[in-house]
Amino acid sequence: MKRLFNLNTYFKLLLLIASATVFFFILYTSLYLYTVQEEHRFYKATYDQYNNEVKSLFRLNSKTHTATIIDVTFWDELVNFTKKKEEKWYNKYILSEFESYEVDYIGIYGLNQKIINKTTSAKIKSFDFIPKAMMTSLYKSKLKRFYVKIPEGIVEVFAATIHPSNDPKKTKTKPSGYFFMARLLDKSFFTSLGNISSSKVNLVAVDHPINAEDDFVTVGLDLKDWKNNVVSKLLFKRPFNLNYSKTKEILFIVVIASLINILIFIYYTKKWVYNPLKLIKNILETGNVTSIYSLKKSKGEFGYIGNLFEENSNQRKQLEISKQKAEESDTLKSSFLANLSHEIRTPMNAIMGFSDLLMDDKQTEKEKFEYLKIIKNSGNNLVLIIEDLIEMSRIDAKQITPNYKGLNIEKCIAELHKSIKITIPKEKDIEFYVVESGDKIQKNILTDETKLKQIIVNLITNAVKFTEKGFVSFGYSINKEKDVLEFTIQDSGSGISEDHMKIIFDRFRRIEDNATTEMTGLGLGLSITKAYVEMLGGEISVKSTMGIGSVFTFTIPLKYDETVVESMPKIKISFSGNHENEIILIAEDDNINFLLLKKILESKNHTVLRAFNGQEAVDICAENPDISLVFMDIKMPILNGFEAFEQIKILKPELPIIAQTAYSSFEDKEQIMRFGFMDYITKPLDKEKIFELLNTIFTEINS
């Protein structure tokens, strides 16, 4: 130690340089090893996440077909088919709907393991590739999904035993036969699966090796037959964009640069080397932002490293934000699915439960009447849920476009006030009124009347929903500066908290607190409303105070209708008869729908005729001159409702025809009315609306 102190400054510096060199070598070696370790750890984490994602997506891809085969195999008529083997029934209900199953093969087998009938697409040429031994196993398990290798490739097979509808658990009865659905895993399947998973998907042999690559992460899924033996593999390959090679190169450059600086600039050792390294160490250990900023100000390579650290820090923050959004999205989807299950099961529970109670002879007539009211209300709630889901799907698929035409806004506001007012529950102490505009519009404006009305109805309905006492008002004003119409819907309800206001227009989000635990719905109403407003070129906003109320405001462009409308002479429809004892034709291919409408009409002493398809409807109208009215289903075989309507109008232009349809969107209804139908009814059918419609039509015809 004494000899060390006796060394001159030069040798001390040499010793310092040597010591620093060793120290830096150890430091950068540690950094390199740490980088390599982090690279392996991150790759493994990415692989595990990708593997779980692929498995989940692949399972989800088969759920629709699994649900379909479960539904089909509880079909009483399918049970009868396995016994009677009627080719006509098969062609009508299986072959005609083959494309809707989205498979390439459908086969029905008897319990003797012999095929009764089958249908295949052009992709599959093999006649009978279902293993007979597998059916013995299926007899016990009731449901299977497995894979089979055929000359055309690998097919995914969904198999289930056939039971009557009164045996939902398949435990009361023995199977009547076997139902098989299969789809070929072809190029279109791989392309679709690849788009969903953002991967390149292809089929490989069972013994195909899966090697790790620097720029890609690869996952293999085993495709197993009914014996649980692997017949092939699905290979998913996705780019792995995070590469540490640049970081390693930078570390190497820093080592060389540090050594050169130590050897040449002893004086600046502390200033240019020691301090930056200290900052680097601090950044690596704590991620301190101030240290990153100080390192960026350094000259040379360390400044560059500071920029890299800053970029890395920013990327890490973005990754954390993305992770939070992804987790929030997953949570939202899970919440939506749980909410959807709850909202559907709630009315279904009421429908099925009270239907069972109705079959009990011990129930009084009053109780039965109450049960029927509950079943009807539950059915209406279920229809509203389905319509919201369908409408949001149509919006996402961009199948809805505005239909601009002239609209008298004052008349529109008055009609909305009149129609909505009678729907407000009587138990709510609400004053519902229109705020008159100070600058009324005398000319027609150009907009989509249907969507504008739906926006206003949705917002008013929402206001009534959250208001127990007070008022709900709506009206419009003109914003001349922005050249827009500004609509305002105000209520004195419970109000909306700041947290809820941030998400109120997000889909699948509902306001849920102690005051709204009994509120139902999927949280799509305001999302649909916002989509409609933006579709019309406007904006929507909300202001609210808890306990005081809310104010929803939306705008649409103010454009006047300059179209000159030519008045068309009204076609007078003559009709001889009264309000009862009329001959009415029902064109309906579904037996249940026909029976329901028939019973409704016969309750008013009308005589009912039936046509099973559009062509029969035309023939019956031509042969029977005493028909007073036609109920025409839109979707029918041979001739659809529109085609049958055209031919009947040629024969009997004055015969009133009412459309009946399961298509409930505003666009479908507008298409029906534009086509020339006198009116329409939507499924599910409402008895009172049908009576009101008949009374209106017969009164108008006889006047």
Side-chain angles (χ1 to χ4, degrees), residues 445-463:
I445 65 169
L446 194 63
T447 189
D448 188 316
E449 177 181 359
T450 301
K451 290 178 179 56
L452 178 60
K453 286 184 176 180
Q454 189 63 34
I455 293 167
I456 298 174
V457 168
N458 284 356
L459 293 176
I460 294 176
T461 303
N462 192 67

Side-chain angles (χ1 to χ4, degrees), residues 597-619:
L597 184 54
K598 177 175 179 288
K599 291 295 183 182
I600 293 173
L601 296 177
E602 287 181 344
S603 68
K604 291 295 184 180
N605 300 321
H606 296 300
T607 301
V608 175
L609 304 179
R610 182 185 184 183
F612 287 87
N613 54 62
Q615 185 60 57
E616 283 190 15
V618 176
D619 296 340

Side-chain angles (χ1 to χ4, degrees), residues 89-293:
W89 182 91
Y90 180 87
N91 292 338
K92 183 176 181 180
Y93 293 98
I94 302 298
L95 180 60
S96 64
E97 299 294 329
F98 179 69
E99 292 184 359
S100 67
Y101 288 88
E102 297 182 356
V103 294
D104 301 300
Y105 173 89
I106 288 181
I108 303 176
Y109 287 73
L111 289 179
N112 58 2
Q113 299 182 357
K114 292 184 179 180
I115 192 166
I116 299 175
N117 211 331
K118 74 176 184 68
T119 301
T120 63
S121 69
K123 298 178 181 179
I124 295 181
K125 305 297 182 182
S126 300
F127 175 74
D128 187 6
F129 53 85
I130 305 298
K132 298 295 186 294
M134 175 265 162
M135 298 183 193
T136 304
S137 175
L138 179 61
Y139 189 93
K140 298 178 180 180
S141 64
K142 313 301 182 186
L143 180 68
K144 278 184 176 294
R145 178 170 70 94
F146 58 94
Y147 298 85
V148 177
K149 189 173 184 179
I150 63 175
E152 292 84 356
I154 303 296
V155 292
E156 183 178 25
V157 182
F158 302 85
T161 53
I162 301 171
H163 293 261
S165 60
N166 62 359
D167 187 13
K169 294 184 178 180
K170 299 188 177 182
T171 56
K172 298 179 182 179
T173 60
K174 293 182 178 180
S176 301
Y178 308 99
F179 193 93
F180 294 89
M181 293 166 42
R183 57 176 175 176
L184 182 65
L185 306 188
D186 56 3
K187 185 177 180 181
S188 61
F189 175 86
F190 300 143
T191 301
S192 175
L193 197 58
N195 292 336
I196 297 174
S197 60
S198 302
S199 309
K200 182 179 180 182
V201 184
N202 62 304
L203 208 60
V204 297
V206 176
D207 56 351
H208 182 82
I210 300 177
N211 300 320
E213 301 180 49
D214 292 338
D215 298 325
F216 293 91
V217 57
T218 306
V219 169
L221 285 184
D222 292 338
L223 304 181
K224 299 181 180 180
D225 61 15
W226 68 278
K227 294 181 179 180
N228 212 30
N229 297 323
V230 180
V231 297
S232 186
K233 283 185 178 181
L234 268 183
L235 205 64
F236 292 76
K237 195 171 184 180
R238 179 186 287 175
F240 181 69
N241 298 320
L242 189 59
N243 195 318
Y244 283 77
S245 60
K246 293 295 182 183
T247 305
K248 297 173 185 176
E249 293 175 6
I250 292 168
L251 287 174
F252 178 75
I253 293 172
V254 171
V255 171
I256 301 301
S258 299
L259 290 174
I260 294 174
N261 280 303
I262 290 173
L263 292 173
I264 299 176
F265 304 105
I266 296 176
Y267 176 77
Y268 295 101
T269 297
K270 185 177 182 299
K271 182 178 180 180
W272 286 1
V273 177
Y274 177 76
N275 290 341
L277 286 177
K278 186 177 180 181
L279 290 173
I280 290 174
K281 183 180 179 181
N282 187 36
I283 293 168
L284 291 173
E285 291 177 349
T286 65
N288 186 276
V289 177
T290 304
S291 298
I292 294 176
Y293 180 74

Side-chain angles (χ1 to χ4, degrees), residues 55-100:
K55 289 180 180 178
S56 298
L57 288 173
F58 193 68
R59 285 196 300 269
L60 185 61
N61 187 263
S62 300
K63 279 193 174 181
T64 300
H65 295 82
T66 302
T68 299
I69 199 170
I70 289 174
D71 288 343
V72 170
T73 52
F74 285 121
W75 197 356
D76 290 335
E77 293 185 3
L78 183 59
V79 174
N80 294 334
F81 173 74
T82 60
K83 299 175 182 177
K84 298 181 180 180
K85 303 177 178 59
E86 295 178 353
E87 183 74 19
K88 182 177 180 181
W89 182 91
Y90 180 87
N91 292 338
K92 183 176 181 180
Y93 293 98
I94 302 298
L95 180 60
S96 64
E97 299 294 329
F98 179 69
E99 292 184 359
S100 67

Side-chain angles (χ1 to χ4, degrees), residues 425-441:
K426 295 180 180 179
E427 62 269 16
K428 290 197 173 190
D429 184 15
I430 296 176
E431 181 185 0
F432 179 56
Y433 59 89
V434 176
V435 178
E436 298 293 339
S437 174
D439 190 5
K440 293 187 177 182
I441 298 177

